[in-house]
């Protein structure tokens, strides 16, 4: 599977740091950015074809220079396909806005890099990914073999922690007024129309006289669960007597017609079972967690489920836009 709609937080960081961002008004969505299956088919087809050609060249004794020249032409073809479907991003653009004091501002000749530096208040490099992977040792740093999207960019890194720590850090970040990006196994115990993620949503035992019985670790080991989708926490709910939230408000990317205007509710029980990753600010980490970043990461194999967000494609029974988020 040479390409998909998925990705990891550190991959987005690499793209933003190198290429910048721009207002959606100057580079709007296209049909293919929200319904990407046809584009992905063509990209996947050509990449497999090109892989076959390069391997044949190598087997026939082609020099490294010859192969690199051929590969350069192949990448130009891939780039053209992407721009046909998504459009060509403008090199420069003008942008105007009115601030909170009703003062008008006009910015001309902006580039994606200057817009990110001058306008966007978020330093994406300050965030780090925390995961809950009960198969592996907690308070350790991990990466996944070959899971990267940019030469010279950040490697994908995870701090593995108990799920309660992920709950605490997500709550703390929301209390500070910031949303929380997260990765989970989205299709499990989820009702799209009502917008609910809850482990009690379906009573399998009532119908089958048996119910799914594997715990989180076993599901990961046997391919029953993996990260399939990324969304954002925007709020939580808890009573004063509760140490941790009882439910979370989730903002999804499937449009405002889904759930409650595009927002979903996730229970604490669902979080514990199907949540795998959050991105939070390094400065908010407790000392013992921050110290993990000084470790040399242990390398998980390329097929490990902790790398699965980068390789996700929706199945036939899932929403066709499940893996498609708005363009950066």
């Amino acid at each position: 599977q040479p390409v998909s709609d998925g990705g990891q937080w550190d991959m987005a960081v690499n793209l933003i740091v190198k290429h910048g961002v721009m207002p959606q008004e100057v580079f709007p969505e296209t049909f293919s950015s929200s319904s990407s299956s046809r584009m992905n088919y063509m990209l996947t087809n050509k990449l497999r074809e090109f892989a076959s050609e390069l391997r044949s060249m190598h087997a026939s004794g082609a020099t490294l220079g010859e192969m690199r020249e051929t590969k350069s032409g192949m990448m130009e073809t891939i780039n053209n396909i992407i721009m046909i479907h998504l459009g060509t991003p403008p090199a420069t653009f003008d942008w105007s806005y009115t601030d909170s004091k009703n003062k008008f501002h006009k910015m001309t000749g902006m580039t994606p890099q200057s817009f990110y530096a001058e306008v966007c208040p978020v330093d994406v490099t300050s965030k780090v990914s925390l995961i809950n992977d009960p198969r592996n040792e907690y308070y350790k740093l991990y990466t996944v073999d070959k899971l990267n999207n940019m030469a010279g960019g950040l490697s994908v890194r995870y701090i593995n922690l108990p799920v309660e720590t992920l709950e605490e850090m997500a709550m703390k970040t929301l209390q500070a007024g910031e949303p929380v990006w997260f990765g989970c196994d989205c299709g499990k115990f989820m009702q799209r129309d009502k917008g609910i993620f809850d482990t009690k949503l379906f009573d399998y035992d009532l119908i089958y006289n048996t119910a799914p019985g594997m715990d989180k670790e076993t599901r990961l080991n046997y391919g029953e669960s993996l990260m399939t989708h990324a969304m954002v926490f925007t709020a939580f709910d808890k009573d004063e007597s509760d140490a941790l939230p009882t439910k979370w408000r989730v903002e999804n990317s499937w449009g405002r017609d889904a759930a409650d205007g595009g927002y979903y509710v996730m229970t604490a029980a669902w979080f514990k079972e199907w949540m795998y990753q959050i991105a939070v600010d390094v400065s908010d980490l407790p000392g013992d967690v921050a110290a993990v970043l000084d470790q040399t990461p242990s390398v998980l194999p390329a097929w490990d489920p902790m790398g699965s967000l980068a390789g996700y494609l929706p199945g036939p029974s899932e929403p066709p836009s499940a893996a498609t988020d708005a363009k950066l």
Side-chain angles (χ1 to χ4, degrees):
Q1 185 184 335
V3 68
S4 77
D5 278 333
Q8 272 295 337
W9 173 260
D10 288 319
M11 294 179 177
V13 172
N14 284 334
L15 291 171
I16 292 170
V17 169
K18 182 173 182 177
H19 297 291
V21 297
M22 64 181 70
Q24 194 176 45
E25 289 85 351
V26 301
F27 188 36
E29 297 288 334
T30 68
F31 175 84
S32 292
S33 69
S34 297
S35 183
S36 57
S37 59
R38 299 297 181 267
M39 176 181 67
N40 286 343
Y41 164 75
M42 192 63 182
L43 290 171
T44 298
N45 182 284
K46 295 305 294 185
L47 287 168
R48 287 174 172 151
E49 175 187 325
F50 292 159
S52 173
E53 291 180 15
L54 289 171
R55 290 184 177 188
S56 295
M57 288 181 66
H58 177 71
S60 300
T63 66
L64 185 60
E66 290 172 336
M67 294 184 66
R68 284 181 172 170
E69 183 179 357
T70 300
K71 183 178 177 182
S72 179
M74 292 173 171
M75 292 310 298
E76 184 175 344
T77 297
I78 295 299
N79 189 60
N80 288 340
I81 293 172
I82 292 172
M83 289 194 294
I84 287 168
H85 280 273
L86 301 182
T88 304
T92 62
F93 55 90
D94 299 337
W95 192 63
S96 58
Y97 67 96
T98 302
D99 64 22
S100 58
K101 297 181 180 179
N102 206 33
K103 183 179 179 180
F104 179 79
H105 301 264
K106 185 173 183 179
M107 309 176 78
T108 60
M110 299 290 289
T111 67
Q113 294 90 340
S114 66
F115 185 82
Y116 174 60
E118 298 175 28
V119 178
C120 297
V122 178
D123 176 13
V124 291
T125 63
S126 69
K127 305 291 182 181
V128 64
S129 289
L130 312 180
I131 62 169
N132 174 240
D133 178 3
R135 304 169 305 155
N136 292 302
E137 187 177 354
Y138 292 143
Y139 294 93
K140 295 292 183 181
L141 192 65
Y142 295 90
T143 188
V144 179
D145 188 28
K146 298 179 176 61
L147 187 65
N148 204 352
N149 66 332
M150 190 173 294
L154 290 173
S155 297
V156 173
R157 297 185 304 167
Y158 305 132
I159 300 177
N160 192 25
L161 298 166
V163 69
E164 292 80 10
T165 305
L166 268 65
E167 292 178 279
E168 292 170 2
M169 292 305 305
M171 179 177 66
K172 181 178 180 180
T173 301
L174 289 169
Q175 287 173 326
E178 290 192 8
V180 179
W181 180 97
F182 68 89
C184 66
D185 192 349
C186 179
K188 302 296 196 304
F189 289 87
M190 181 267 286
Q191 213 290 331
R192 176 174 177 150
D193 293 337
K194 295 184 182 298
I196 297 173
F197 295 91
D198 185 17
T199 57
K200 296 182 179 180
L201 196 58
F202 305 112
D203 191 348
Y204 287 97
D205 194 58
L206 179 65
I207 303 298
Y208 298 112
N209 198 31
T210 187
M214 288 182 283
D215 61 16
K216 195 172 190 178
E217 179 177 357
T218 307
R219 290 194 296 264
L220 287 168
N221 277 329
Y222 283 84
E224 180 59 25
S225 182
L226 73 171
M227 288 187 281
T228 60
H229 191 40
M231 296 177 283
V232 175
F233 288 131
T234 58
F236 66 85
D237 185 28
K238 76 179 190 70
D239 295 330
E240 291 185 5
S241 59
D242 297 321
L244 295 171
T246 56
K247 56 183 179 289
W248 306 79
R249 185 177 69 187
V250 174
E251 182 179 354
N252 202 354
S253 58
W254 295 348
R256 295 182 179 179
D257 293 335
D260 184 7
Y263 289 90
Y264 295 65
V265 173
M266 178 190 299
T267 64
W270 198 97
F271 187 115
K272 287 181 169 60
E273 293 297 326
W274 307 104
M275 177 65 60
Y276 290 110
Q277 177 183 2
I278 64 173
V280 298
D281 204 281
V282 173
S283 63
D284 291 333
L285 297 177
D288 58 340
V289 177
V292 177
L293 290 170
D294 295 328
Q295 299 177 8
T296 299
S298 299
V299 181
L300 301 173
W303 53 84
D304 192 87
M306 288 301 113
S308 60
L309 268 179
Y312 173 68
L313 287 175
S317 63
E318 295 173 314
S321 59
T324 307
D325 293 313
K327 291 176 297 183
L328 293 172

